[in-house]
Amino acid sequence: MRLSNHVKKAALGAAAISLLAGCTGEQGAGGDVQRAAERPASWTDLPVRTGARDVVHTDGDDRSYKVRVTVKSLVRGSGEDMQGAGRVDEGLKGMVPHYLTFKVTNTGRKKIPDAYVVDSDFALNGTDWERGEQAYVSGGRPGGVDLPCADTAPKTLAPGDSYTTCVTYVLPKGVGVLSLTHIADGYLDEGGAVATWPVEGGLKAVSSGLKEPGDVVRVRWDAGEDGVLTGENVLELPARLASVRRGSAADLAGLDLDLNENERRGVPYYVSVTYTNPGPDDLYTDQADSVSLLTEGGRQIQGKTPFVADTKIPGCPSDWVTRVVSPGESVTECSIHMVTDDNDKPFAVGFAEADRPGLVTWRAPLR
């Protein structure tokens, strides 16, 4: 699934899905999550790095509020947790629920309206580089055992007040969890402030599936006109990661790259990928739009490219812009990726393929 730069936080983690089985509890007046007296052996406590982070919650009207989020636990459930449903969305069949329990404290001076949507700033990042889907569920597990997840968030949250709640995410069977992230500005892939809670073993699992920089991989790219993905013009382009270089904000002075405030304070990384035109027709160069810089925290930072061919950026040439590549020839394209979190390090490079979920990923050879 390719992620848009402009998806608002209401769609964070993909669309929420209603089921007729799953978590007990409903949105209420706040309070602690009620856990079942006994739990199935199939439930597993995941080793998430718990603790508090001071973050900013941005609501649907772009109003910002200071909050402290404390992750309490992350529990992997079982596919059986949803078997009691009379109706289950087709896209959730075979998925595994994950129950995230966290505490929210209003550390600002303003009352937070609709405090129950603070969880829309969260993302559960899988080891397949996809985000878990947030699922709103109700009912009970087969056998009468309650699930360890109850939505107890209040309607509003006054300054100094707190609540503890739980949110359910689903991942495909066999996919682990890389991290949890809270994105301050509510956009999936823009440069807002990010808080990260890693899951032990997640980075190792991701690393085992990475290609090496010199490996040539045939990536699927749709050459449809006007950026429309039709599936009828999909090319398999031999591609290899040429380099990943750390730049300086001074490199970008005077360029029209549409940077937001956080990105202007960030650090640019220049990602260069080489493609070969397999023919039989000429190839137009705009594959860089499919490239993301992947971080240890699970972020996918999409790139920005100059609009003119003579832009002079040290370590990131733009001579490929508007170039036409003849069959059999190769071209190296460079994209600029702004890292806005000093504690989150670039780790890999991903290419979002046409008509295919997931990413082709290379290990990032940082310079």
Side-chain angles (χ1 to χ4, degrees):
M1 177 178 65
R2 184 173 179 182
L3 299 170
S4 170
N5 277 351
H6 303 289
V7 178
K8 279 293 281 184
K9 66 183 180 64
L12 189 61
I17 299 172
S18 297
L19 302 180
L20 296 179
C23 293
T24 61
E26 297 178 353
Q27 179 187 303
D32 292 334
V33 173
Q34 301 297 317
R35 290 186 175 275
E38 60 180 273
R39 52 184 272 178
S42 58
W43 289 344
T44 303
D45 292 301
L46 298 184
V48 61
R49 186 180 300 171
T50 57
R53 306 283 192 277
D54 288 318
V55 300
V56 175
H57 164 60
T58 305
D59 67 13
D61 295 321
D62 292 328
R63 296 173 298 190
S64 297
Y65 304 90
K66 294 181 179 180
V67 297
R68 177 173 296 127
V69 175
T70 305
V71 168
K72 298 285 190 178
S73 66
L74 180 62
V75 177
R76 179 192 294 125
S78 166
E80 296 177 356
D81 295 351
M82 295 186 286
Q83 285 184 0
R87 183 185 74 242
V88 177
D89 188 279
E90 186 69 26
L92 292 186
K93 290 184 177 179
M95 304 290 265
V96 177
H98 292 69
Y99 310 118
L100 170 64
T101 301
F102 59 96
K103 178 181 178 181
V104 176
T105 302
N106 183 353
T107 58
R109 299 180 178 180
K110 300 180 293 184
K111 181 175 69 175
I112 301 176
D114 302 326
Y116 55 88
V117 299
V118 171
D119 61 62
S120 64
D121 295 323
F122 266 109
L124 181 80
N125 306 299
T127 53
D128 61 350
W129 295 107
E130 297 287 342
R131 290 180 171 88
E133 295 192 50
Q134 186 173 330
Y136 295 101
V137 294
S138 62
R141 190 178 189 274
V145 179
D146 289 340
L147 300 186
C149 197
D151 181 1
T152 58
K155 173 66 176 177
T156 62
L157 192 65
D161 284 357
S162 301
Y163 68 88
T164 298
T165 190
C166 182
V167 176
T168 301
Y169 297 89
V170 293
L171 290 172
K173 184 177 180 180
V175 174
V177 182
L178 172 61
S179 65
L180 302 166
T181 50
H182 180 282
I183 304 175
D185 61 8
Y187 286 87
L188 294 181
D189 304 303
E190 294 291 347
V194 177
T196 303
W197 293 264
V199 174
E200 183 179 342
L203 199 60
K204 182 178 180 180
V206 167
S207 181
S208 65
L210 297 177
K211 306 292 185 183
E212 293 302 321
D215 291 346
V216 177
V217 183
R218 299 182 74 89
V219 298
R220 292 172 59 84
W221 177 73
D222 197 311
E225 295 182 0
D226 300 324
V228 177
L229 299 181
T230 63
E232 300 176 356
N233 299 300
V234 173
L235 301 178
E236 291 192 350
L237 305 177
R240 67 175 179 85
L241 178 60
S243 65
V244 180
R245 297 183 175 90
R246 179 187 172 113
S248 167
D251 300 342
L252 310 182
L255 295 183
D256 182 16
L257 288 179
D258 191 25
L259 303 180
N260 62 34
E261 182 177 350
N262 284 300
E263 289 171 328
R264 284 193 291 271
R265 294 195 297 263
V267 177
Y269 282 81
Y270 309 132
V271 175
S272 295
V273 179
T274 300
Y275 307 92
T276 300
N277 181 4
D281 301 317
D282 289 340
L283 177 70
Y284 293 89
T285 53
D286 59 358
Q287 292 74 38
D289 288 344
S290 299
V291 175
S292 295
L293 182 65
L294 312 177
T295 70
E296 292 182 355
R299 293 189 65 199
Q300 298 183 29
I301 305 176
Q302 294 192 337
K304 302 174 185 292
T305 56
F307 293 103
V308 292
D310 58 350
T311 300
K312 304 299 181 184
I313 304 174
C316 192
S318 60
D319 55 354
W320 58 270
V321 177
T322 70
R323 179 180 165 189
V324 176
V325 185
S326 301
E329 292 187 352
S330 298
V331 62
T332 298
E333 301 182 18
C334 180
S335 50
I336 303 166
H337 305 256
M338 303 302 300
V339 176
T340 58
D341 185 353
D342 294 337
N343 298 316
D344 199 9
K345 299 179 181 178
F347 176 67
V349 170
F351 186 98
E353 295 195 283
D355 301 331
R356 184 174 292 176
L359 299 169
V360 170
T361 54
W362 291 272
R363 193 180 312 279
L366 296 177
R367 295 184 185 178

